[in-house]
Amino acid sequence: FLSPRTAALATHYPDLEIQIVAMPRLLSLSKREADIAISLAPPKEGKIIARRLTDYRLGLYATQGYLDRTAPINRPDDVHEHQVIGYIDDLIFTPELDYLDEVSKGLRARLQSSNLVAQMQATLAGAGVCVLPHFMAAGDPRLVPILPDQVAITRSFWLIVHADLKDIA
């Protein structure tokens, strides 16, 4: 989402140095590891200012080919009988990404990756069912939403800066 939008920013502010660190870890703003961070949760401590940027929705997706060759999914509990693609439990760096229980209690991924893009690519290859952000999946005609009225997960993106930088344009 962010990378394609940096071209206009870089053109408008040619002296701005932009680094996008897309790693599953938290950066320390107090140690000046970053000036601005976008996170899935506001920080709980420190001299940090957080502002909610936007909410986003996630849902279940698969390819039509996968759905045609597997058992029907008529309710969330049916997903237990399917190849679920998701995060590696021990490598989930924030609780906001641990959302499979919100689909169906006890649901676990059998095909796991710490990277959401890898999860989406596996889904596109027909490997199974995956929870994906709508902003990634809805525009891809190869993906079919599953139970959109029954599985609706919402998360938020937060803009975080050190309190000392809050008044800098």
Side-chain angles (χ1 to χ4, degrees), residues 19-60:
Q19 296 177 347
I20 299 174
V21 181
M23 295 172 45
R25 71 179 190 100
L26 300 175
L27 296 170
S28 172
L29 297 178
S30 61
K31 293 179 183 174
R32 306 294 193 218
E33 292 178 343
D35 294 322
I36 300 171
I38 298 174
S39 178
L40 293 173
K44 297 187 182 1
E45 58 188 46
K47 290 179 55 177
I48 304 297
I49 305 295
R51 179 172 56 108
R52 183 187 309 237
L53 285 174
T54 188
D55 291 338
Y56 69 97
R57 294 180 311 116
L58 302 102
L60 276 177

CSV table of all heavy atoms in Angstrom, one decimal, residues 19-60:
chain,number,residue,atom,x,y,z
A,19,GLN,N,12.9,5.8,3.9
A,19,GLN,CA,13.3,4.4,4.1
A,19,GLN,C,12.0,3.7,4.6
A,19,GLN,O,11.5,4.1,5.6
A,19,GLN,CB,14.4,4.3,5.2
A,19,GLN,CG,15.7,4.9,4.8
A,19,GLN,CD,16.7,4.8,5.9
A,19,GLN,OE1,16.4,4.4,7.0
A,19,GLN,NE2,18.0,5.1,5.6
A,20,ILE,N,11.6,2.7,3.9
A,20,ILE,CA,10.5,1.9,4.3
A,20,ILE,C,11.1,0.6,4.8
A,20,ILE,O,11.7,-0.2,4.1
A,20,ILE,CB,9.6,1.6,3.1
A,20,ILE,CG1,9.0,2.9,2.6
A,20,ILE,CG2,8.4,0.7,3.6
A,20,ILE,CD1,8.2,2.8,1.3
A,21,VAL,N,10.9,0.4,6.1
A,21,VAL,CA,11.4,-0.8,6.8
A,21,VAL,C,10.2,-1.7,7.0
A,21,VAL,O,9.4,-1.5,7.9
A,21,VAL,CB,12.1,-0.5,8.2
A,21,VAL,CG1,12.6,-1.7,8.8
A,21,VAL,CG2,13.2,0.6,8.0
A,22,ALA,N,10.1,-2.7,6.1
A,22,ALA,CA,9.0,-3.6,6.2
A,22,ALA,C,9.4,-4.9,6.8
A,22,ALA,O,9.5,-6.0,6.2
A,22,ALA,CB,8.5,-3.9,4.7
A,23,MET,N,9.7,-4.8,8.1
A,23,MET,CA,10.2,-6.0,8.8
A,23,MET,C,9.2,-6.2,10.0
A,23,MET,O,8.8,-5.3,10.6
A,23,MET,CB,11.6,-5.8,9.3
A,23,MET,CG,12.6,-5.7,8.2
A,23,MET,SD,14.3,-5.2,8.8
A,23,MET,CE,14.5,-6.2,10.2
A,24,PRO,N,9.0,-7.5,10.3
A,24,PRO,CA,8.1,-7.8,11.4
A,24,PRO,C,8.7,-7.6,12.8
A,24,PRO,O,9.1,-8.5,13.4
A,24,PRO,CB,7.7,-9.2,11.2
A,24,PRO,CG,8.8,-9.8,10.5
A,24,PRO,CD,9.4,-8.7,9.6
A,25,ARG,N,8.9,-6.3,13.1
A,25,ARG,CA,9.5,-6.0,14.4
A,25,ARG,C,9.1,-4.6,14.8
A,25,ARG,O,8.7,-3.8,13.9
A,25,ARG,CB,11.0,-6.1,14.4
A,25,ARG,CG,11.8,-5.1,13.7
A,25,ARG,CD,13.3,-5.3,13.8
A,25,ARG,NE,14.0,-4.2,13.3
A,25,ARG,CZ,14.5,-3.2,14.0
A,25,ARG,NH1,14.4,-3.2,15.3
A,25,ARG,NH2,15.2,-2.2,13.4
A,26,LEU,N,9.2,-4.2,16.0
A,26,LEU,CA,8.9,-2.9,16.5
A,26,LEU,C,10.2,-2.1,16.5
A,26,LEU,O,11.2,-2.6,17.0
A,26,LEU,CB,8.2,-3.0,17.8
A,26,LEU,CG,6.9,-3.8,17.9
A,26,LEU,CD1,6.4,-3.8,19.3
A,26,LEU,CD2,5.9,-3.1,17.0
A,27,LEU,N,10.1,-0.9,16.0
A,27,LEU,CA,11.3,0.0,16.1
A,27,LEU,C,11.1,0.9,17.3
A,27,LEU,O,10.0,1.2,17.7
A,27,LEU,CB,11.3,0.9,14.8
A,27,LEU,CG,11.6,0.1,13.5
A,27,LEU,CD1,11.4,1.1,12.3
A,27,LEU,CD2,13.0,-0.5,13.5
A,28,SER,N,12.2,1.3,17.9
A,28,SER,CA,12.2,2.2,19.0
A,28,SER,C,12.4,3.6,18.6
A,28,SER,O,13.4,4.0,18.1
A,28,SER,CB,13.4,1.8,20.0
A,28,SER,OG,13.4,2.7,21.0
A,29,LEU,N,11.3,4.4,18.8
A,29,LEU,CA,11.3,5.8,18.4
A,29,LEU,C,12.2,6.5,19.5
A,29,LEU,O,12.8,7.5,19.2
A,29,LEU,CB,9.9,6.4,18.3
A,29,LEU,CG,9.1,5.8,17.2
A,29,LEU,CD1,7.7,6.4,17.2
A,29,LEU,CD2,9.7,6.0,15.9
A,30,SER,N,12.1,6.1,20.7
A,30,SER,CA,12.9,6.7,21.8
A,30,SER,C,14.4,6.6,21.6
A,30,SER,O,15.2,7.4,22.0
A,30,SER,CB,12.5,6.2,23.2
A,30,SER,OG,12.7,4.8,23.3
A,31,LYS,N,14.8,5.5,20.9
A,31,LYS,CA,16.2,5.3,20.6
A,31,LYS,C,16.6,5.9,19.2
A,31,LYS,O,17.6,5.7,18.7
A,31,LYS,CB,16.6,3.8,20.6
A,31,LYS,CG,16.5,3.2,22.0
A,31,LYS,CD,16.9,1.7,21.9
A,31,LYS,CE,16.7,1.1,23.3
A,31,LYS,NZ,16.9,-0.4,23.2
A,32,ARG,N,15.6,6.6,18.6
A,32,ARG,CA,15.7,7.2,17.3
A,32,ARG,C,16.0,6.2,16.1
A,32,ARG,O,16.8,6.5,15.2
A,32,ARG,CB,16.8,8.3,17.3
A,32,ARG,CG,16.5,9.4,18.3
A,32,ARG,CD,15.3,10.1,18.0
A,32,ARG,NE,15.3,11.4,18.9
A,32,ARG,CZ,14.2,11.8,19.4
A,32,ARG,NH1,13.0,11.3,19.2
A,32,ARG,NH2,14.2,12.9,20.2
A,33,GLU,N,15.5,5.0,16.3
A,33,GLU,CA,15.6,4.0,15.2
A,33,GLU,C,14.8,4.4,14.0
A,33,GLU,O,14.9,3.9,12.9
A,33,GLU,CB,15.3,2.6,15.7
A,33,GLU,CG,16.2,2.1,16.7
A,33,GLU,CD,15.8,0.7,17.2
A,33,GLU,OE1,14.7,0.3,17.1
A,33,GLU,OE2,16.7,0.0,17.8
A,34,ALA,N,13.8,5.3,14.2
A,34,ALA,CA,12.9,5.8,13.2
A,34,ALA,C,12.4,7.1,13.7
A,34,ALA,O,12.3,7.4,14.9
A,34,ALA,CB,11.8,4.8,12.9
A,35,ASP,N,12.0,8.0,12.7
A,35,ASP,CA,11.3,9.2,13.1
A,35,ASP,C,9.8,9.1,13.1
A,35,ASP,O,9.1,9.7,13.9
A,35,ASP,CB,11.6,10.3,12.0
A,35,ASP,CG,13.1,10.7,12.1
A,35,ASP,OD1,13.7,10.8,13.2
A,35,ASP,OD2,13.7,10.9,11.0
A,36,ILE,N,9.3,8.2,12.2
A,36,ILE,CA,7.9,8.0,12.1
A,36,ILE,C,7.7,6.5,12.0
A,36,ILE,O,8.4,5.8,11.3
A,36,ILE,CB,7.3,8.6,10.9
A,36,ILE,CG1,7.4,10.2,10.9
A,36,ILE,CG2,5.8,8.3,10.7
A,36,ILE,CD1,7.0,10.9,9.6
A,37,ALA,N,6.7,5.9,12.6
A,37,ALA,CA,6.4,4.5,12.5
A,37,ALA,C,4.9,4.4,12.3
A,37,ALA,O,4.1,5.2,12.7
A,37,ALA,CB,6.8,3.7,13.7
A,38,ILE,N,4.5,3.4,11.5
A,38,ILE,CA,3.1,3.0,11.4
A,38,ILE,C,3.0,1.6,12.0
A,38,ILE,O,3.7,0.7,11.6
A,38,ILE,CB,2.7,3.0,9.9
A,38,ILE,CG1,2.8,4.4,9.3
A,38,ILE,CG2,1.3,2.5,9.7
A,38,ILE,CD1,2.6,4.5,7.8
A,39,SER,N,2.1,1.5,12.9
A,39,SER,CA,2.0,0.3,13.7
A,39,SER,C,0.5,-0.2,13.7
A,39,SER,O,-0.4,0.6,13.4
A,39,SER,CB,2.4,0.6,15.1
A,39,SER,OG,2.3,-0.5,16.0
A,40,LEU,N,0.3,-1.4,14.2
A,40,LEU,CA,-1.0,-1.9,14.3
A,40,LEU,C,-1.6,-1.7,15.7
A,40,LEU,O,-2.8,-2.0,15.9
A,40,LEU,CB,-1.0,-3.4,14.1
A,40,LEU,CG,-0.7,-3.8,12.6
A,40,LEU,CD1,-0.6,-5.3,12.5
A,40,LEU,CD2,-1.8,-3.3,11.7
A,41,ALA,N,-0.9,-1.1,16.6
A,41,ALA,CA,-1.4,-0.8,17.9
A,41,ALA,C,-0.6,0.5,18.5
A,41,ALA,O,0.6,0.6,18.2
A,41,ALA,CB,-1.2,-1.9,18.9
A,42,PRO,N,-1.3,1.3,19.2
A,42,PRO,CA,-0.6,2.4,19.8
A,42,PRO,C,0.4,1.9,20.9
A,42,PRO,O,0.1,0.9,21.6
A,42,PRO,CB,-1.7,3.3,20.4
A,42,PRO,CG,-2.8,2.3,20.7
A,42,PRO,CD,-2.7,1.3,19.6
A,43,PRO,N,1.5,2.6,21.1
A,43,PRO,CA,2.4,2.2,22.2
A,43,PRO,C,1.8,2.3,23.6
A,43,PRO,O,0.9,3.2,23.8
A,43,PRO,CB,3.6,3.1,22.0
A,43,PRO,CG,3.1,4.3,21.3
A,43,PRO,CD,1.9,3.8,20.5
A,44,LYS,N,2.2,1.5,24.5
A,44,LYS,CA,1.6,1.5,25.8
A,44,LYS,C,2.5,2.4,26.8
A,44,LYS,O,2.0,2.7,27.9
A,44,LYS,CB,1.5,0.1,26.4
A,44,LYS,CG,0.5,-0.7,25.5
A,44,LYS,CD,0.3,-2.0,26.2
A,44,LYS,CE,-0.6,-3.0,25.4
A,44,LYS,NZ,-1.2,-2.7,24.2
A,45,GLU,N,3.7,2.8,26.4
A,45,GLU,CA,4.5,3.5,27.3
A,45,GLU,C,5.5,4.4,26.5
A,45,GLU,O,5.7,4.2,25.3
A,45,GLU,CB,5.3,2.6,28.2
A,45,GLU,CG,6.1,1.6,27.5
A,45,GLU,CD,6.7,0.6,28.5
A,45,GLU,OE1,6.0,0.1,29.3
A,45,GLU,OE2,7.9,0.3,28.4
A,46,GLY,N,6.2,5.3,27.1
A,46,GLY,CA,7.2,6.1,26.5
A,46,GLY,C,6.7,7.5,26.1
A,46,GLY,O,5.5,7.7,26.1
A,47,LYS,N,7.6,8.3,25.7
A,47,LYS,CA,7.2,9.7,25.3
A,47,LYS,C,6.9,9.6,23.8
A,47,LYS,O,7.6,10.1,22.9
A,47,LYS,CB,8.4,10.7,25.5
A,47,LYS,CG,8.6,11.0,27.0
A,47,LYS,CD,9.8,11.9,27.1
A,47,LYS,CE,9.6,13.2,26.3
A,47,LYS,NZ,10.6,14.2,26.5
A,48,ILE,N,5.7,9.0,23.5
A,48,ILE,CA,5.3,8.7,22.1
A,48,ILE,C,3.9,9.3,21.9
A,48,ILE,O,3.1,9.3,22.8
A,48,ILE,CB,5.2,7.2,21.9
A,48,ILE,CG1,6.6,6.6,22.2
A,48,ILE,CG2,4.8,6.9,20.5
A,48,ILE,CD1,7.7,7.0,21.3
A,49,ILE,N,3.7,9.9,20.7
A,49,ILE,CA,2.4,10.4,20.3
A,49,ILE,C,1.9,9.5,19.3
A,49,ILE,O,2.6,9.2,18.3
A,49,ILE,CB,2.5,11.8,19.7
A,49,ILE,CG1,3.2,12.8,20.7
A,49,ILE,CG2,1.2,12.3,19.3
A,49,ILE,CD1,2.4,13.0,22.0
A,50,ALA,N,0.7,9.0,19.4
A,50,ALA,CA,0.1,8.1,18.5
A,50,ALA,C,-1.3,8.7,18.0
A,50,ALA,O,-2.0,9.3,18.8
A,50,ALA,CB,-0.2,6.7,19.1
A,51,ARG,N,-1.5,8.5,16.7
A,51,ARG,CA,-2.7,9.0,16.1
A,51,ARG,C,-3.3,7.9,15.1
A,51,ARG,O,-2.5,7.4,14.3
A,51,ARG,CB,-2.5,10.3,15.3
A,51,ARG,CG,-3.7,10.8,14.6
A,51,ARG,CD,-3.5,12.2,14.0
A,51,ARG,NE,-2.4,12.2,13.1
A,51,ARG,CZ,-2.6,12.3,11.7
A,51,ARG,NH1,-3.8,12.4,11.2
A,51,ARG,NH2,-1.6,12.3,10.9
A,52,ARG,N,-4.5,7.6,15.3
A,52,ARG,CA,-5.1,6.6,14.4
A,52,ARG,C,-5.2,7.1,13.0
A,52,ARG,O,-5.7,8.2,12.8
A,52,ARG,CB,-6.5,6.2,14.9
A,52,ARG,CG,-7.1,5.1,14.0
A,52,ARG,CD,-8.6,4.8,14.4
A,52,ARG,NE,-8.7,4.6,15.8
A,52,ARG,CZ,-9.2,3.6,16.4
A,52,ARG,NH1,-9.7,2.6,15.7
A,52,ARG,NH2,-9.3,3.5,17.7
A,53,LEU,N,-4.6,6.4,12.1
A,53,LEU,CA,-4.6,6.8,10.7
A,53,LEU,C,-5.9,6.3,10.0
A,53,LEU,O,-6.6,7.1,9.4
A,53,LEU,CB,-3.4,6.2,9.9
A,53,LEU,CG,-2.0,6.8,10.1
A,53,LEU,CD1,-1.0,5.9,9.4
A,53,LEU,CD2,-2.0,8.2,9.7
A,54,THR,N,-6.2,5.1,10.1
A,54,THR,CA,-7.4,4.5,9.5
A,54,THR,C,-7.6,3.1,10.0
A,54,THR,O,-6.7,2.4,10.5
A,54,THR,CB,-7.2,4.5,8.0
A,54,THR,OG1,-8.4,4.1,7.4
A,54,THR,CG2,-6.1,3.5,7.5
A,55,ASP,N,-8.8,2.7,9.9
A,55,ASP,CA,-9.2,1.3,10.2
A,55,ASP,C,-9.1,0.6,8.8
A,55,ASP,O,-9.3,1.2,7.8
A,55,ASP,CB,-10.6,1.2,10.7
A,55,ASP,CG,-10.7,1.7,12.1
A,55,ASP,OD1,-9.7,1.8,12.8
A,55,ASP,OD2,-11.9,2.0,12.5
A,56,TYR,N,-8.9,-0.7,8.9
A,56,TYR,CA,-8.9,-1.5,7.6
A,56,TYR,C,-9.6,-2.8,8.0
A,56,TYR,O,-9.6,-3.3,9.1
A,56,TYR,CB,-7.6,-1.7,7.0
A,56,TYR,CG,-6.6,-2.5,7.7
A,56,TYR,CD1,-6.4,-3.9,7.4
A,56,TYR,CD2,-5.8,-2.0,8.8
A,56,TYR,CE1,-5.5,-4.7,8.1
A,56,TYR,CE2,-4.9,-2.8,9.4
A,56,TYR,CZ,-4.8,-4.1,9.1
A,56,TYR,OH,-3.9,-4.9,9.8
A,57,ARG,N,-10.2,-3.4,7.0
A,57,ARG,CA,-10.9,-4.7,7.2
A,57,ARG,C,-10.2,-5.9,6.5
A,57,ARG,O,-9.5,-5.7,5.5
A,57,ARG,CB,-12.3,-4.6,6.6
A,57,ARG,CG,-13.2,-3.6,7.4
A,57,ARG,CD,-14.6,-3.4,6.9
A,57,ARG,NE,-14.7,-3.3,5.4
A,57,ARG,CZ,-15.2,-4.1,4.6
A,57,ARG,NH1,-15.8,-5.2,5.0
A,57,ARG,NH2,-15.2,-3.9,3.3
A,58,LEU,N,-10.3,-7.0,7.1
A,58,LEU,CA,-9.8,-8.2,6.6
A,58,LEU,C,-10.9,-9.2,6.5
A,58,LEU,O,-11.9,-9.2,7.2
A,58,LEU,CB,-8.7,-8.8,7.6
A,58,LEU,CG,-7.5,-8.0,8.0
A,58,LEU,CD1,-7.7,-7.4,9.3
A,58,LEU,CD2,-6.3,-8.8,7.9
A,59,GLY,N,-10.7,-10.2,5.5
A,59,GLY,CA,-11.7,-11.2,5.3
A,59,GLY,C,-11.0,-12.5,4.8
A,59,GLY,O,-9.8,-12.5,4.5
A,60,LEU,N,-11.8,-13.5,4.7
A,60,LEU,CA,-11.3,-14.8,4.2
A,60,LEU,C,-11.3,-14.8,2.6
A,60,LEU,O,-12.3,-14.3,2.0
A,60,LEU,CB,-12.2,-15.9,4.6
A,60,LEU,CG,-12.0,-16.5,6.0
A,60,LEU,CD1,-13.0,-17.6,6.2
A,60,LEU,CD2,-10.6,-17.1,6.1
